[in-house]
Amino acid sequence: MGLYDQYLTARVRRQNADPPSDIAVVITERDLLEQGAYETLESFFQWAFDHGAERITVYVSVLDSGAVPTLQRELENVRAPREIAVRGPEDLTPADAPIQVSIGLGGKHEFAEAVRAVAEDVEAGTVSADEVGEEEIESRLVFPADPDLVIKTGAERLSDFMIWQSVYSELYFTDVNWRDFRKRDYLRAILDYKNRQRRFGR
């Protein structure tokens, strides 16, 4: 680890604020075509867990649906320090694992499917309309996460990402592309998060 990384690590540790325990990173399918992209992802997992994360969500936005099978195969074989659950755009099985990976499952689609499932339960009589609230929706989401921090590399836009789960998340944008993302960039994101006063919509 270089001197600058050591300096940033010391600054992060000196901050009294809690680190984010639930982290999400938004990347694109094109990012994963770059040489070393999966190695960066493996390193990212380790950096996050080393600095207090308990859950990581990776959202991969996809323009070419034909790339999904290859991306899914590669991501399922990534070396990860903890259990990993990978979900493609048509897999609506809840992914409750320390590392969750979404490949092309848009937040609007995920939310719509959760609402549809609640409506079906109401119609079947297993849930009354008066009982429908946030918990009923959340229990049917594919990714039952509430990220403290969402990191977006390469551009200042989020795309169709976890619209329900990230409503109170802190957003961190960096112009560093995923292929160039290093530990120092992650530490800067954590330091920025620790210096914020979270309001949770208030």
Side-chain angles (χ1 to χ4, degrees), residues 17-110:
D18 292 331
S21 63
D22 202 321
I23 295 176
V25 60
V26 182
I27 57 180
T28 68
E29 62 176 296
R30 187 169 55 189
D31 290 326
L32 293 175
L33 295 176
E34 299 285 348
Q35 185 175 5
Y38 291 98
E39 287 81 359
T40 298
L41 191 59
E42 292 168 356
S43 297
F44 179 86
F45 293 153
Q46 198 59 60
W47 302 332
F49 288 128
D50 285 348
H51 286 275
E54 296 178 5
R55 178 161 54 188
I56 301 168
T57 302
V58 179
Y59 177 81
V60 184
S61 61
V62 175
L63 294 177
D64 179 9
S65 59
V68 170
T70 300
L71 290 171
Q72 187 155 358
R73 183 174 61 253
E74 292 294 331
L75 287 163
E76 286 173 345
N77 290 320
V78 158
R79 288 178 300 173
R82 300 187 190 176
E83 180 187 357
I84 185 169
V86 180
R87 298 290 182 266
E90 303 305 322
D91 188 349
L92 301 179
T93 308
D96 194 8
I99 301 174
Q100 306 175 152
V101 181
S102 170
I103 307 172
L105 176 60
K108 290 181 180 179
H109 179 64
E110 180 188 15

Side-chain angles (χ1 to χ4, degrees), residues 115-130:
V115 171
R116 185 175 294 112
V118 171
E120 289 173 353
D121 287 346
V122 170
E123 186 176 8
T126 57
V127 175
S128 73
D130 292 338

